[in-house]
Amino acid sequence: MLGTGILKGMVETAKNFAGSYHDPERLTTVEYPEQRIASKENARQFPFLVHDTEDPMKGLRCVACQICEKECPPQCIYIVKSKDKRADYKGQMQFYPATFDIDLSVCMSCQICVEVCPFESIKMDTEFELSNTDRFGGLLVNKHQLAKSNEHYRKIHPTEAAASDAVLAAETAKAQAKAKADAEAKAAKAAAAAGPVGAVASAPAPKPSSPAAATAAAPAA
Amino acid sequence: MTAPVDTSDPKQLGADTDGTQFMTFHDLAYDAGKTVFQRKAQPVGQGREGELLEVAMGPQHPSTHGVFRMDVVLDGETVVKLKPVFGYLHRNHEKIAENTSYLGSMPYTDRLDYFCSLTNNWAYALSVEKLAGLQVPERAEYIRLITAELTRVLNHTCLAGFLLQDMGALGTPLMYAFREREKILDLIESLTGARMMCNYMRFGGCRCDLPAGWLDEAKKVVAEYPKFLDEFDALLSGNEILMARTQGVGKLSAELAISAGITGPMLRASGVDYDLRKVDNYGLYSRYPFRVPLGSHGDVYDRYMIRMLEMRESLKILEPALKDIPEGPVVDPKAKLRGFRPKPGEAYGRIESPKGELGFYLISDGSPNPYRYRVRPPSLINLTILEDMCLGQTVADAIVTLGSVDIVLGEVDR
Ligand code: SF4
Ligand code: SF4
């Protein structure tokens, strides 16, 4: 009969209308600024730079290798490498970013920078309320604003952070073992009164500076 | 290869020459046989030259699904000429891709058909894998199959909502559709980190493994989904107004569809049994029996029904796949993220995206960027036939016809 299909549809809407008063299945919206849905663990919004120490600028893991700058598809990262070097978490002398800017208006939250970074130093934040009234400077996020602690990372992405911590711990252990071996070799060589060849073993780590003693602060080069 | 078929319902089944199972839904409960109106083709423009009115619908018209323009020439309310104009959303996708690394284009493919970023990722990954000869581990294949079918369900759900909105059912069906879509988006977000711009697949696998508990959640969503489809069917499929607005509207004959290169649900609505999941057997589709719904009239109603039925078939693939997924690595250990340079050569990878055949054609010259990168976008090619479907019908019909093509302008214009 003509009209039954419409009536059937009406019943459906009536069910939904009535249901929206008591059935959470039918009323799925929340009043956003007051009520919030917890973000998903994997959620990604905008990158941040991980630091390990109290002073964010001292403890940045980033070594300004500029790989992310090169790989970022829309090219929204801008890095200036420092002139001097400083010891990183495992005591190796490394450059650090004198400038590290990400253009918020260009970044597309793709996470490629995170994937290509070999030093676990850039990660994705879950903060999504990033709007800004300043159209120019306010959207260029500098390294001071980007720096966030490893605790923060552990809080927002527990699983991922655990994996990342494990990688770093392994690297540190390796570096320490190597430093120890190097020191011993050096001592042995010094004892044998050899020339100033320097005990540079084949280093698997990236090439900067000969690995000096593990905790030394003096630049080697 | 022939998959086992549920033969208890002979009406729904048929087997064509290559043994592919398909079904025609005109025998089903929601039979289109109960046509409400018979339409007559309108006499067009006889002796009325000079009285024709040319109207530009779009690019900011709410019914054009984005920035798309239809230049229609009207005789009264009848469409005498229609010119689709696109390019407003052109953003140089192909040229940009030729200047970025292979990996760097992956997030851009999300932005082609932004409803179905996971199938876009898959098509691109597939062609790069062909180019570089990478193997995909089994678990990753399963994840791809699952996410692609979820995407298909998601896309068709939205399309049904949007199509109804084009017909003037403002709000209700679209809101119901979005409510359900949200459940799938939640799944996709907890897997990939983003609701729409997933950037999830990688050459030789997927970016990360499924998070803990994901499979259970997915099983729940998949098990619940038929309830929504039943609701949607009750709400719409038998609705007389919907039938009157869609049956006999925007007809496309099988011959024309084939010669115009139409693919996807639109082609199948015209009764052509062509589904790349069956034809190419890529991924793991050969492991799961599913049927390909076919229309017989090629009108808007058929296109709508095809999508409703395809969703049910997708759920039939999803259910066992979610159970069968094995443990294992999700990415080929040979695949490199940085410094990826496939050897010189060319490759064309294609999949059945929710909108049709989505293909990526790549030429490598051994450098880190593709020498040539070309997308075969189903939306664009399906859209080219719009005039033939709209001639002699009213403006309101033209809008419904456009809605049934299922376009996303991100993919049309690239
Ligand atoms: S998330 Fe993507 S777009 Fe944003 S800075 Fe990283 S690589 Fe660039
Ligand atoms: S890839 Fe990592 S270490 Fe290198 S510059 Fe980028 S954030 Fe810093």
Side-chain angles (χ1 to χ4, degrees), chain A residues 47-120:
Chain A
F48 68 95
L49 294 172
V50 190
H51 68 81
D52 291 306
T53 47
E54 280 295 295
D55 180 357
M57 284 310 106
K58 285 225 175 73
L60 281 187
R61 285 181 193 168
C62 175
V63 300
C65 67
Q66 296 179 308
I67 290 173
C68 55
E69 185 183 35
K70 189 165 149 279
E71 293 281 339
C72 169
Q75 300 280 300
C76 65
I77 305 180
Y78 174 68
I79 301 173
V80 176
K81 204 186 250 188
S82 63
K83 296 255 163 8
D84 55 332
K85 289 187 176 184
R86 66 180 186 201
D88 70 354
Y89 67 97
K90 51 184 181 186
Q92 236 166 35
M93 297 315 291
Q94 301 277 23
F95 291 106
Y96 59 92
T99 310
F100 196 117
D101 293 338
I102 302 183
D103 193 334
L104 174 54
S105 58
V106 176
C107 171
M108 59 173 170
S109 309
C110 65
Q111 205 176 5
I112 299 262
C113 49
V114 175
E115 281 168 66
V116 297
C117 174
F119 301 95
E120 304 284 331

Coordinates of all heavy atoms in Angstrom, one line a residue, chain A residues 47-120:
Chain A
P47 N 53.6 17.9 16.6 CA 54.8 17.4 17.2 C 55.3 18.2 18.4 O 55.0 19.4 18.5 CB 55.8 17.5 16.1 CG 55.1 17.8 14.9 CD 53.8 18.4 15.3
F48 N 56.0 17.5 19.3 CA 56.7 18.3 20.3 C 58.1 17.7 20.5 O 58.4 16.6 20.0 CB 56.0 18.3 21.6 CG 55.9 16.9 22.3 CD1 56.8 16.6 23.3 CD2 54.9 16.0 22.0 CE1 56.8 15.3 23.9 CE2 54.8 14.8 22.7 CZ 55.7 14.5 23.6
L49 N 59.0 18.4 21.1 CA 60.4 17.9 21.3 C 60.5 17.4 22.7 O 60.2 18.1 23.6 CB 61.4 19.1 21.0 CG 61.4 19.6 19.6 CD1 62.3 20.8 19.5 CD2 62.0 18.5 18.7
V50 N 61.1 16.2 22.8 CA 61.2 15.6 24.1 C 62.5 16.1 24.8 O 63.5 16.2 24.2 CB 61.3 14.1 24.0 CG1 61.1 13.4 25.3 CG2 60.2 13.6 23.1
H51 N 62.4 16.5 26.1 CA 63.6 16.8 26.8 C 63.6 15.9 28.1 O 62.5 15.5 28.6 CB 63.7 18.2 27.2 CG 62.6 18.7 28.1 ND1 62.7 18.6 29.5 CD2 61.5 19.4 27.9 CE1 61.7 19.1 30.1 NE2 60.9 19.6 29.1
D52 N 64.8 15.7 28.6 CA 64.9 14.7 29.7 C 65.2 15.4 31.1 O 65.1 14.8 32.1 CB 66.1 13.7 29.5 CG 65.7 12.8 28.3 OD1 64.6 12.2 28.4 OD2 66.4 12.7 27.3
T53 N 65.7 16.7 31.0 CA 66.2 17.3 32.2 C 65.2 18.4 32.7 O 64.3 18.7 32.0 CB 67.6 17.9 32.0 OG1 67.5 18.7 30.8 CG2 68.6 16.9 31.9
E54 N 65.5 19.0 33.9 CA 64.7 20.0 34.4 C 64.6 21.2 33.5 O 63.5 21.7 33.1 CB 65.4 20.5 35.7 CG 65.1 19.7 36.9 CD 63.6 19.6 37.3 OE1 63.1 20.7 37.7 OE2 63.0 18.6 37.2
D55 N 65.8 21.6 33.0 CA 65.8 22.8 32.1 C 65.5 22.3 30.7 O 66.3 21.5 30.1 CB 67.2 23.4 32.1 CG 67.3 24.6 31.2 OD1 66.3 24.9 30.5 OD2 68.3 25.3 31.1
P56 N 64.4 22.6 30.1 CA 64.0 22.1 28.8 C 65.1 22.3 27.7 O 65.4 21.4 27.0 CB 62.7 22.8 28.5 CG 62.2 23.4 29.7 CD 63.4 23.6 30.6
M57 N 65.7 23.5 27.7 CA 66.6 23.7 26.6 C 67.9 22.9 26.8 O 68.5 22.6 25.8 CB 67.0 25.2 26.6 CG 65.9 26.1 26.0 SD 65.3 25.5 24.5 CE 63.7 24.8 24.9
K58 N 68.3 22.6 28.0 CA 69.5 21.8 28.1 C 69.3 20.4 27.8 O 70.2 19.7 27.3 CB 70.0 21.9 29.6 CG 70.6 23.2 30.0 CD 71.9 23.0 30.8 CE 72.6 24.3 31.0 NZ 71.9 25.2 32.0
G59 N 68.1 19.9 28.1 CA 67.9 18.4 27.9 C 67.2 18.0 26.6 O 66.8 16.9 26.5
L60 N 67.1 18.9 25.7 CA 66.5 18.5 24.4 C 67.3 17.3 23.8 O 68.5 17.3 23.7 CB 66.5 19.6 23.4 CG 65.4 20.7 23.6 CD1 65.5 21.6 22.4 CD2 64.0 20.1 23.7
R61 N 66.5 16.3 23.4 CA 67.2 15.1 22.8 C 67.6 15.4 21.4 O 68.5 14.8 20.8 CB 66.3 14.0 22.7 CG 66.1 13.3 24.1 CD 65.1 12.1 23.9 NE 64.6 11.6 25.1 CZ 63.6 10.8 25.2 NH1 63.0 10.3 24.2 NH2 63.2 10.3 26.4
C62 N 67.0 16.4 20.8 CA 67.3 16.7 19.3 C 68.7 17.1 19.1 O 69.3 17.9 19.9 CB 66.4 17.8 18.9 SG 66.7 18.3 17.2
V63 N 69.3 16.5 18.1 CA 70.7 16.8 17.8 C 70.8 17.6 16.5 O 71.9 17.6 15.9 CB 71.6 15.5 17.7 CG1 71.5 14.7 19.0 CG2 71.1 14.6 16.5
A64 N 69.8 18.1 16.1 CA 69.8 19.0 14.9 C 70.3 18.3 13.7 O 71.1 18.9 12.9 CB 70.5 20.3 15.2
C65 N 70.0 17.0 13.5 CA 70.5 16.3 12.3 C 69.8 16.7 11.1 O 70.2 16.4 10.0 CB 70.4 14.8 12.6 SG 68.7 14.2 12.6
Q66 N 68.6 17.3 11.2 CA 67.8 17.9 10.1 C 67.2 16.9 9.2 O 66.8 17.2 8.1 CB 68.7 18.9 9.3 CG 69.1 20.1 10.2 CD 69.9 21.1 9.5 OE1 70.9 20.7 8.9 NE2 69.5 22.3 9.5
I67 N 67.1 15.6 9.7 CA 66.5 14.6 8.9 C 65.0 14.9 8.8 O 64.4 14.8 7.7 CB 66.7 13.2 9.5 CG1 68.2 12.8 9.3 CG2 65.8 12.2 8.9 CD1 68.5 11.5 10.0
C68 N 64.4 15.3 9.9 CA 63.0 15.6 9.9 C 62.7 16.8 9.0 O 61.7 16.8 8.3 CB 62.4 15.8 11.3 SG 63.3 17.0 12.2
E69 N 63.6 17.7 9.0 CA 63.4 18.9 8.2 C 63.3 18.5 6.7 O 62.5 19.0 5.9 CB 64.5 19.9 8.4 CG 64.4 21.2 7.7 CD 65.6 22.1 7.9 OE1 66.7 21.6 8.1 OE2 65.4 23.3 8.0
K70 N 64.2 17.6 6.4 CA 64.3 17.1 5.0 C 63.1 16.3 4.6 O 62.6 16.4 3.5 CB 65.5 16.3 4.8 CG 65.8 16.0 3.4 CD 67.3 15.6 3.2 CE 67.4 14.6 2.1 NZ 67.0 13.2 2.4
E71 N 62.6 15.4 5.6 CA 61.6 14.5 5.2 C 60.2 15.0 5.4 O 59.2 14.5 4.8 CB 61.7 13.2 6.1 CG 63.0 12.4 5.8 CD 62.9 11.5 4.6 OE1 61.7 11.3 4.1 OE2 63.9 11.2 4.0
C72 N 60.0 16.0 6.1 CA 58.6 16.6 6.4 C 58.0 16.9 5.0 O 58.5 17.8 4.3 CB 58.7 17.8 7.2 SG 57.2 18.7 7.3
P73 N 56.9 16.3 4.7 CA 56.3 16.5 3.3 C 56.0 17.9 3.0 O 56.4 18.4 1.9 CB 55.1 15.6 3.3 CG 55.3 14.6 4.4 CD 56.2 15.2 5.4
P74 N 55.3 18.7 3.9 CA 55.0 20.1 3.5 C 56.2 21.0 3.9 O 56.0 22.2 3.7 CB 53.8 20.4 4.2 CG 53.8 19.6 5.4 CD 54.6 18.4 5.1
Q75 N 57.3 20.5 4.3 CA 58.4 21.3 4.6 C 58.1 22.4 5.6 O 58.4 23.6 5.4 CB 59.0 22.0 3.3 CG 59.4 21.0 2.3 CD 60.8 20.4 2.6 OE1 61.7 21.1 2.7 NE2 60.8 19.1 2.8
C76 N 57.6 22.1 6.8 CA 57.2 23.1 7.7 C 58.1 23.2 8.9 O 57.9 23.9 9.9 CB 55.7 22.9 8.2 SG 55.5 21.4 9.1
I77 N 59.2 22.4 8.9 CA 60.2 22.5 10.0 C 61.4 23.3 9.5 O 61.8 23.2 8.4 CB 60.7 21.1 10.4 CG1 59.4 20.2 10.7 CG2 61.6 21.1 11.6 CD1 59.8 18.8 11.1
Y78 N 61.8 24.1 10.4 CA 63.0 25.0 10.1 C 64.0 24.9 11.3 O 63.7 25.1 12.4 CB 62.5 26.4 10.0 CG 63.6 27.4 9.8 CD1 64.4 27.4 8.6 CD2 63.9 28.3 10.8 CE1 65.4 28.3 8.5 CE2 65.0 29.2 10.7 CZ 65.7 29.2 9.5 OH 66.7 30.1 9.3
I79 N 65.2 24.4 10.9 CA 66.2 24.1 12.0 C 67.4 24.9 11.7 O 67.9 24.9 10.5 CB 66.5 22.6 12.0 CG1 65.2 21.8 12.4 CG2 67.5 22.3 13.1 CD1 65.4 20.3 12.3
V80 N 68.0 25.5 12.7 CA 69.4 26.0 12.6 C 70.2 25.2 13.5 O 69.9 25.1 14.7 CB 69.4 27.5 12.8 CG1 70.9 28.0 12.8 CG2 68.6 28.3 11.8
K81 N 71.3 24.7 13.0 CA 72.2 23.9 13.9 C 73.0 24.8 14.7 O 73.4 25.9 14.3 CB 73.1 23.1 12.9 CG 73.6 21.8 13.5 CD 74.6 21.2 12.6 CE 74.1 19.9 12.0 NZ 75.0 19.2 11.2
S82 N 73.3 24.3 15.9 CA 74.2 25.2 16.8 C 75.6 25.2 16.3 O 76.0 24.3 15.6 CB 74.1 24.6 18.2 OG 74.7 23.3 18.2
K83 N 76.4 26.2 16.8 CA 77.8 26.2 16.4 C 78.6 25.3 17.3 O 79.5 24.6 16.8 CB 78.3 27.6 16.6 CG 77.7 28.6 15.7 CD 78.6 29.0 14.5 CE 78.0 29.6 13.3 NZ 76.6 30.1 13.4
D84 N 78.2 25.2 18.6 CA 79.0 24.4 19.5 C 78.3 23.1 19.7 O 77.2 22.8 19.2 CB 79.2 25.1 20.8 CG 77.8 25.6 21.4 OD1 76.9 25.8 20.6 OD2 77.7 25.7 22.6
K85 N 78.9 22.2 20.6 CA 78.3 20.9 20.8 C 78.1 20.8 22.3 O 78.8 21.5 23.1 CB 79.3 19.8 20.4 CG 79.3 19.7 18.9 CD 80.1 18.5 18.5 CE 80.1 18.3 17.0 NZ 80.8 17.1 16.6
R86 N 77.3 19.9 22.7 CA 77.2 19.6 24.1 C 76.9 18.1 24.3 O 76.5 17.4 23.3 CB 76.0 20.4 24.7 CG 74.7 20.0 24.2 CD 73.6 20.9 24.8 NE 72.4 20.4 24.3 CZ 71.2 21.0 24.3 NH1 71.2 22.3 24.7 NH2 70.1 20.5 23.8
A87 N 77.1 17.6 25.5 CA 76.9 16.2 25.7 C 75.4 15.8 25.7 O 74.6 16.5 26.3 CB 77.5 15.8 27.1
D88 N 75.1 14.7 25.0 CA 73.7 14.3 25.0 C 73.5 13.3 26.2 O 74.3 13.1 27.0 CB 73.3 13.7 23.7 CG 74.0 12.4 23.4 OD1 74.9 12.0 24.2 OD2 73.7 11.8 22.3
Y89 N 72.3 12.6 26.2 CA 72.0 11.8 27.3 C 73.0 10.7 27.5 O 73.1 10.2 28.6 CB 70.5 11.2 27.1 CG 70.4 10.3 26.0 CD1 70.5 8.9 26.2 CD2 70.3 10.7 24.7 CE1 70.4 8.0 25.1 CE2 70.2 9.8 23.6 CZ 70.3 8.5 23.9 OH 70.2 7.6 22.8
K90 N 73.7 10.2 26.5 CA 74.6 9.2 26.8 C 76.0 9.7 26.8 O 77.0 8.9 26.6 CB 74.4 8.0 25.8 CG 74.4 8.4 24.3 CD 74.1 7.2 23.5 CE 74.1 7.7 22.0 NZ 73.7 6.7 21.1
G91 N 76.2 11.0 26.9 CA 77.5 11.6 27.1 C 78.2 11.8 25.8 O 79.4 12.2 25.8
Q92 N 77.6 11.6 24.6 CA 78.3 11.9 23.4 C 78.2 13.3 23.1 O 77.1 14.0 23.3 CB 77.6 11.1 22.3 CG 78.6 10.2 21.6 CD 77.8 9.2 20.7 OE1 76.7 9.5 20.2 NE2 78.3 8.0 20.6
M93 N 79.2 13.9 22.4 CA 79.1 15.3 22.1 C 78.2 15.5 20.8 O 78.5 14.8 19.8 CB 80.5 15.9 21.8 CG 81.4 15.8 23.1 SD 80.5 16.4 24.6 CE 80.3 18.1 24.2
Q94 N 77.3 16.3 20.9 CA 76.3 16.5 19.8 C 76.0 17.9 19.6 O 76.1 18.7 20.5 CB 75.0 15.8 20.1 CG 75.1 14.3 20.3 CD 75.2 13.5 19.1 OE1 75.6 14.0 18.0 NE2 74.9 12.2 19.1
F95 N 75.6 18.2 18.4 CA 75.0 19.6 18.1 C 73.6 19.6 18.8 O 73.1 18.6 19.1 CB 74.9 19.8 16.6 CG 76.2 20.0 15.9 CD1 76.7 19.0 15.1 CD2 76.9 21.2 16.1 CE1 77.9 19.1 14.5 CE2 78.1 21.3 15.5 CZ 78.6 20.3 14.6
Y96 N 73.1 20.8 18.9 CA 71.7 20.9 19.3 C 71.1 22.0 18.4 O 71.8 22.8 17.8 CB 71.7 21.3 20.8 CG 72.4 22.6 21.2 CD1 71.7 23.8 21.2 CD2 73.8 22.6 21.5 CE1 72.4 24.9 21.5 CE2 74.4 23.7 21.8 CZ 73.7 24.9 21.8 OH 74.4 26.1 22.1
P97 N 69.8 22.1 18.4 CA 69.1 23.0 17.5 C 69.2 24.4 18.1 O 68.7 24.7 19.2 CB 67.7 22.6 17.5 CG 67.5 21.8 18.7 CD 68.8 21.2 19.1
A98 N 69.9 25.4 17.4 CA 69.8 26.8 17.9 C 68.5 27.3 17.7 O 67.9 28.1 18.5 CB 70.9 27.6 17.2
T99 N 67.9 27.0 16.5 CA 66.5 27.3 16.2 C 65.8 26.0 15.8 O 66.3 25.2 15.1 CB 66.4 28.3 15.1 OG1 67.3 29.4 15.3 CG2 65.0 28.9 14.9
F100 N 64.6 25.9 16.3 CA 63.7 24.8 15.8 C 62.3 25.3 15.8 O 61.7 25.4 16.8 CB 63.9 23.6 16.8 CG 63.4 22.3 16.2 CD1 64.2 21.2 16.0 CD2 62.0 22.1 15.8 CE1 63.8 20.0 15.4 CE2 61.6 20.9 15.3 CZ 62.4 19.9 15.1
D101 N 61.8 25.6 14.6 CA 60.5 26.1 14.5 C 59.6 25.1 13.6 O 60.1 24.6 12.7 CB 60.5 27.4 13.7 CG 61.2 28.5 14.5 OD1 61.3 28.4 15.7 OD2 61.7 29.5 13.9
I102 N 58.4 25.0 14.0 CA 57.4 24.3 13.2 C 56.3 25.2 12.9 O 55.8 25.9 13.8 CB 56.9 23.0 13.9 CG1 58.1 22.1 14.2 CG2 56.0 22.3 12.9 CD1 57.7 20.8 14.8
D103 N 55.9 25.3 11.7 CA 54.8 26.2 11.3 C 53.5 25.4 11.5 O 53.2 24.5 10.8 CB 54.9 26.6 9.8 CG 54.0 27.7 9.5 OD1 53.0 27.8 10.2 OD2 54.3 28.5 8.6
L104 N 52.8 25.8 12.5 CA 51.5 25.1 12.9 C 50.5 25.2 11.8 O 49.7 24.3 11.6 CB 51.0 25.8 14.2 CG 49.6 25.4 14.7 CD1 49.6 23.9 14.9 CD2 49.3 26.1 16.0
S105 N 50.5 26.3 11.0 CA 49.5 26.4 10.0 C 49.8 25.5 8.8 O 48.9 25.3 7.9 CB 49.4 27.8 9.5 OG 50.6 28.3 9.1
V106 N 51.0 25.0 8.7 CA 51.4 24.2 7.5 C 51.4 22.7 7.9 O 51.1 21.8 7.1 CB 52.7 24.6 6.9 CG1 53.1 23.7 5.8 CG2 52.6 26.0 6.5
C107 N 51.8 22.4 9.2 CA 51.9 21.0 9.6 C 50.6 20.3 9.4 O 49.5 20.8 9.7 CB 52.3 21.0 11.1 SG 52.2 19.4 11.8
M108 N 50.7 19.1 8.8 CA 49.5 18.3 8.6 C 49.4 17.1 9.5 O 48.7 16.2 9.2 CB 49.4 17.9 7.1 CG 50.5 17.1 6.6 SD 50.1 16.5 5.0 CE 51.6 15.9 4.4
S109 N 50.1 17.1 10.6 CA 50.0 16.1 11.6 C 50.2 14.7 11.1 O 49.5 13.8 11.4 CB 48.6 16.1 12.3 OG 48.4 17.4 12.7
C110 N 51.2 14.6 10.2 CA 51.3 13.3 9.5 C 52.2 12.3 10.3 O 52.2 11.1 10.0 CB 51.8 13.5 8.1 SG 53.5 14.1 8.1
Q111 N 53.0 12.8 11.2 CA 53.9 11.9 12.0 C 55.1 11.4 11.2 O 55.8 10.6 11.8 CB 53.0 10.8 12.5 CG 53.6 10.2 13.8 CD 52.7 9.1 14.4 OE1 51.8 8.7 13.8 NE2 53.1 8.6 15.5
I112 N 55.3 11.9 10.1 CA 56.5 11.4 9.3 C 57.8 11.8 10.1 O 58.7 11.0 10.2 CB 56.5 12.0 7.9 CG1 55.3 11.5 7.1 CG2 57.8 11.7 7.2 CD1 55.5 10.4 6.2
C113 N 57.8 13.0 10.6 CA 59.0 13.5 11.4 C 59.3 12.5 12.5 O 60.4 12.2 12.8 CB 58.8 14.9 11.9 SG 57.3 15.2 12.7
V114 N 58.2 12.1 13.2 CA 58.4 11.2 14.3 C 59.0 9.9 13.8 O 59.9 9.3 14.5 CB 57.1 10.9 15.0 CG1 57.2 9.9 16.1 CG2 56.5 12.2 15.5
E115 N 58.5 9.4 12.7 CA 59.0 8.1 12.2 C 60.4 8.1 11.8 O 61.2 7.2 11.9 CB 58.1 7.6 11.1 CG 56.8 7.0 11.5 CD 55.9 6.9 10.4 OE1 56.2 6.0 9.5 OE2 54.9 7.6 10.3
V116 N 60.9 9.2 11.2 CA 62.2 9.3 10.6 C 63.3 9.7 11.6 O 64.4 9.4 11.4 CB 62.3 10.2 9.3 CG1 61.4 9.7 8.2 CG2 62.0 11.6 9.7
C117 N 62.9 10.3 12.7 CA 63.9 10.8 13.6 C 64.6 9.6 14.3 O 64.0 8.7 14.9 CB 63.2 11.6 14.7 SG 64.4 12.0 16.0
P118 N 65.9 9.5 14.1 CA 66.6 8.4 14.6 C 67.0 8.5 16.1 O 67.5 7.6 16.7 CB 67.9 8.3 13.8 CG 68.0 9.6 13.1 CD 66.8 10.4 13.4
F119 N 66.6 9.6 16.7 CA 67.1 9.9 18.1 C 65.9 10.0 19.1 O 66.1 10.5 20.2 CB 67.9 11.2 18.2 CG 69.1 11.1 17.3 CD1 69.1 11.6 16.0 CD2 70.3 10.5 17.8 CE1 70.2 11.5 15.2 CE2 71.4 10.4 16.9 CZ 71.3 10.9 15.7
E120 N 64.7 9.5 18.7 CA 63.6 9.5 19.6 C 63.3 10.9 20.2 O 62.9 11.0 21.3 CB 63.8 8.5 20.8 CG 64.1 7.1 20.4 CD 62.9 6.3 19.9 OE1 61.8 6.6 20.4 OE2 63.1 5.5 19.1

